[in-house]
Amino acid sequence: MTDFLGTLDHMKFSVWVMQSNSIWSFPTFLFLHTMGMSIVAGLSAMIDLVLLGFWPKMPIKPLERLYPLMWLGFWINTVTGTVILIADATAKLTNWDFYVKMGFVFAGVAVLRVMQKKVFTDPALDTAPVSGSAKGLAWASLICWFGAITAGRLLAYIGPVSGLPGFKNS
């Protein structure tokens, strides 16, 4: 397995992404990854906080229009995250924190889908109090995106260090 990961790390594209001085390599992919996450997590958090009653007079149904933007942010993250992962496969795929991050991301996406299908198709939305299950989904969403962001940031500080085989952060 480590041979395969090393092959990914040493592809010309991977070397360019991780070692180039070009603004269009790692800095651009990382910037776009950060923007994608801020779109997904930020808009999701806004919906979550409305569902939890932080803005009680705000209608909820119109917030459904944010889903295409959240899915755009998700796909931006999917592409940029895949590039960053392939370029640094050995460090990322041997780090338990990466799998924690991905667990939160997959759970967060699942919660987004369930919320879109269950909450926004509820005919009582905006005419009755928000259901307990909708509030539970909002809390789950906040936890998932907070966990994904935290675990993602910790990747730089926990486990193997990029480009330094065998060296680990403590």
Side-chain angles (χ1 to χ4, degrees), residues 47-62:
I47 291 171
D48 298 336
L49 294 174
V50 170
L51 289 171
L52 291 170
F54 281 75
W55 295 281
K57 297 192 188 273
M58 182 170 184
I60 299 168
K61 183 68 174 162

Side-chain angles (χ1 to χ4, degrees), residues 37 41 45 104 139-153:
M37 180 54 71
F104 278 121
W139 278 114
S141 174
L142 287 170
I143 291 167
C144 287
W145 295 120
F146 179 81
I149 291 168
T150 302
R153 283 306 311 136

Side-chain angles (χ1 to χ4, degrees), residues 1-22:
M1 180 67 157
T2 55
D3 290 339
F4 174 69
L5 298 179
T7 300
L8 291 176
D9 285 345
H10 293 95
M11 292 186 322
K12 285 184 181 185
F13 181 72
S14 298
V15 171
W16 175 77
V17 169
M18 295 304 289
Q19 297 178 17
S20 173
N21 291 329
S22 171

Side-chain angles (χ1 to χ4, degrees), residues 5 30 46 83-84 98 105 136:
L5 298 179
L30 187 60
M46 187 173 69
V83 167
I84 293 168
F98 172 77
V105 169

